[in-house]
Amino acid sequence: MSDAHRTLILLRHAKSDYPDGVADHERPLAPRGVREAGLAGDWLRSGVVDPPVQAVLCSTATRTRQTLARTGIDAPAQYVDRLYDARPGDVIAEINAVSPHVRTLLVIGHEPAMSSVALGLAGGPGTDESAAREISRKYPTSALAVLRVPGPWDSLELGGAALERFHVPR
């Protein structure tokens, strides 16, 4: 299985609220975010990725945890503090450490890391250039980038994946 392709999904957390006196890490989802996280999950479970999500890497922030809960994705999740306020290299390092048995991986994080990782990894054969342009303009809350990775996670590097699609659930 080590040479079979994999699917990487990068999900920016859903729209968050800004309650007074709440630290950034603890900010919850806004009502719009609750709805849009559910729509993102509906899209993911609709068969657009095959096999379905098998593992999740999720930031420890409240809004990312709530986003995952609202998607209805029930794959094993690992909550990674390093994904909060992450640099793109940190995100890629976490992806590189995922088991080679995982074929479809969902990463739930924040901007600007999600767009930087998506655009940094994209460039392989089959990359959808219009999706890349869309990401470079804006990576809205609840948006999902789907990338095809040609080999095992530990060999993924910049320019080493094909950006297949970009979806903004609304």
Side-chain angles (χ1 to χ4, degrees):
M1 182 186 300
S2 65
D3 57 353
H5 88 272
R6 281 148 180 79
T7 301
L8 173 63
I9 305 150
L10 301 172
L11 170 59
R12 181 181 178 192
H13 64 79
K15 180 71 176 165
S16 58
D17 205 352
Y18 293 88
D20 290 336
V22 175
D24 183 73
H25 188 273
E26 307 311 317
R27 286 191 299 125
L29 292 182
R32 184 181 111 193
V34 170
R35 183 179 64 78
E36 291 174 356
L39 293 172
D42 292 346
W43 187 77
L44 283 171
R45 290 188 320 279
S46 73
V48 71
V49 291
D50 185 40
V53 173
Q54 297 174 322
V56 180
L57 294 176
C58 184
S59 161
T60 56
T62 299
R63 60 192 177 273
T64 53
R65 288 173 172 265
Q66 290 178 341
T67 297
L68 175 57
R70 291 295 182 170
T71 65
I73 299 295
D74 62 1
Q78 184 178 7
Y79 298 96
V80 183
D81 196 45
R82 187 178 182 192
L83 293 179
Y84 174 74
D85 201 24
R87 293 180 308 234
D90 297 332
V91 177
I92 294 169
E94 291 297 328
I95 294 166
N96 288 153
V98 170
S99 166
H101 299 291
V102 172
R103 296 284 306 279
T104 303
L105 174 66
L106 172 63
V107 178
I108 305 175
H110 310 266
E111 270 297 282
M114 292 294 95
S115 61
S116 295
V117 171
L119 293 172
L121 293 176
T127 289
D128 181 333
E129 294 301 329
S130 66
R133 283 191 299 276
E134 201 175 333
I135 290 170
S136 68
R137 282 191 295 272
K138 186 172 183 179
Y139 204 111
T141 53
S142 301
L144 302 112
V146 179
L147 296 105
R148 182 181 177 104
V149 178
W153 300 115
D154 63 0
S155 67
L156 180 61
E157 57 188 30
L158 294 176
L163 175 63
E164 292 188 325
R165 61 180 58 125
F166 184 61
H167 178 71
V168 181
R170 294 287 188 257

